[in-house]
Amino acid sequence: MMLEVTGLAKRFGGIRALDGVDFRIDRGELVGIIGPNGSGKTTLFNVITGIYRPDRGGVAMEGESIAGLPPHRISRKGIARTFQNIRLFPNLTVMDNVRIAHHPYVRYGPAAAIFRAESFYREERRIREQVEEYLALFSLQDRRKELAKNLPYGDQRKLEIARALAACPKLLLLDEPAAGMNPSEVRKLMEFVLDIRARFSLTVLLIEHQMRLVMGICERLVVLDFGQVIARGIPSEIRKDPLVIEAYLGRGTSSNS
Ligand code: ADP
Ligand code: MG
């Protein structure tokens, strides 16, 4: 098992953002977390990655409890994420945005950096090569010197994923990666997610509020509504689930989903 979440609860004032969420995801799976806006999807990622401490409940990564650990310790356990609202370093280049993600893994010590020891140069070279590899994979190599803020929106989304991958995660959490993309970009992105999962042997948890976008690629779906899991299962079943239909239509948020 890769990740297990049990009885997870988190409130903000009077709002129960998460209200007893249970689910598990096995190694290599691609699972979608769907639900209307405000149903707790992003909060779930924020709790898993240590941005918020849960009020109750547990999070276990490969059998080891990580609930309440600070974000950098959780990222060292092999969990990386992207954000619903893109969080790149806007005034750094494309290349540097990816390089930065490598830092927790840099093997030379501060002394080596100061004295410019050979190991420093070797490590720098290794990182540079790896960064180039990620950029090529995302067809961003020709933009390596551009500032992140000057990239077209779709490329910024890709760069965020590239940066998450540079931390060498086992588990990749994607928060509405398709937001703001047109249908053909979305299709390419979804194929891309399948591709990187295979290439890097990843386990992927994918948040999306429009159900139809993830129907085609996720093996399983977990549906949140008001912080609770209201359904889980394979996409063809979820689509017909009366509770799910009601959650979506009842609030009129995504009648096109
Ligand atoms: P989703 O990602 O499914 O749209 P969120 O997890 O962002 O939903 O939000 C779930 C609920 O928690 C919403 O009602 C939201 O307003 C509230 N919420 C999320 N984060 C905070 C916060 N930091 N402070 C106060 N309320 C929050
Ligand atoms: Mg969200």
Side-chain angles (χ1 to χ4, degrees):
M1 196 196 326
M2 183 58 73
L3 185 81
E4 184 170 32
V5 163
T6 41
L8 212 56
K10 175 75 193 168
R11 43 191 314 167
F12 298 104
I15 296 167
R16 292 171 199 267
L18 297 175
D19 190 9
V21 171
D22 296 295
F23 72 89
R24 48 191 287 177
I25 170 166
D26 287 324
R27 188 178 304 279
E29 269 193 302
L30 170 48
V31 173
I33 305 278
I34 65 171
N37 284 322
S39 55
K41 304 181 298 298
T42 296
T43 302
L44 178 63
F45 276 14
N46 285 340
V47 170
I48 292 172
T49 56
I51 292 178
Y52 296 133
R53 260 173 179 281
D55 301 330
R56 272 189 294 113
V59 183
M61 173 73 177
E62 297 184 303
E64 194 185 342
S65 171
I66 58 167
L69 290 182
H72 69 275
R73 301 249 331 256
I74 292 177
S75 100
R76 266 190 244 137
K77 303 279 182 202
I79 302 181
R81 73 175 293 181
T82 64
F83 291 88
Q84 184 171 350
N85 306 309
I86 295 174
R87 289 199 199 172
L88 294 165
F89 295 98
N91 293 311
L92 290 185
T93 62
V94 165
M95 218 166 85
D96 285 343
N97 265 281
V98 179
R99 278 161 66 101
I100 271 179
H102 267 290
H103 271 194
Y105 293 88
V106 170
R107 278 193 293 260
Y108 55 78
I114 290 163
F115 296 111
R116 290 283 190 260
E118 199 184 324
S119 64
F120 173 86
Y121 288 113
R122 245 200 325 271
E123 191 65 18
E124 283 288 289
R125 194 160 48 237
R126 190 186 67 85
I127 290 173
R128 227 180 1 255
E129 282 167 10
Q130 239 171 52
V131 167
E132 286 299 323
E133 212 179 296
Y134 288 120
L135 293 182
L137 193 64
F138 287 75
S139 312
L140 287 170
Q141 66 272 47
D142 295 338
R143 296 187 178 272
R144 63 164 79 72
K145 296 267 167 65
E146 278 183 50
L147 298 184
K149 66 178 177 192
N150 294 335
L151 291 186
Y153 181 77
D155 282 348
Q156 292 194 19
R157 284 257 165 229
K158 287 205 284 187
L159 180 55
E160 261 227 314
I161 302 176
R163 192 179 57 171
L165 285 179
C168 304
K170 298 174 193 166
L171 173 64
L172 179 63
L173 309 179
L174 301 172
D175 194 348
E176 300 203 24
M181 289 186 169
N182 67 40
S184 100
E185 287 173 322
V186 171
R187 208 164 32 247
K188 272 189 246 155
L189 177 75
M190 294 302 168
E191 275 162 23
F192 190 75
V193 169
L194 284 174
D195 187 49
I196 58 174
R197 172 176 68 155
R199 188 188 295 255
F200 297 102
S201 310
L202 293 172
T203 306
V204 182
L205 201 49
L206 171 63
I207 287 181
E208 179 50 61
H209 83 275
Q210 295 190 63
M211 202 191 309
R212 68 189 152 82
L213 298 189
V214 292
M215 282 290 168
I217 66 162
C218 291
E219 286 127 12
R220 286 197 297 124
L221 296 174
V222 175
V223 189
L224 288 181
D225 193 27
F226 293 112
Q228 296 186 332
V229 175
I230 57 163
R232 61 185 102 226
I234 59 173
S236 58
E237 286 169 6
I238 293 295
R239 201 197 323 250
K240 290 181 293 195
D241 189 303
L243 279 177
V244 176
I245 294 169
E246 195 193 314
Y248 270 91
L249 299 183
R251 229 167 308 165
T253 43
S254 292
S255 48
N256 60 342
S257 301

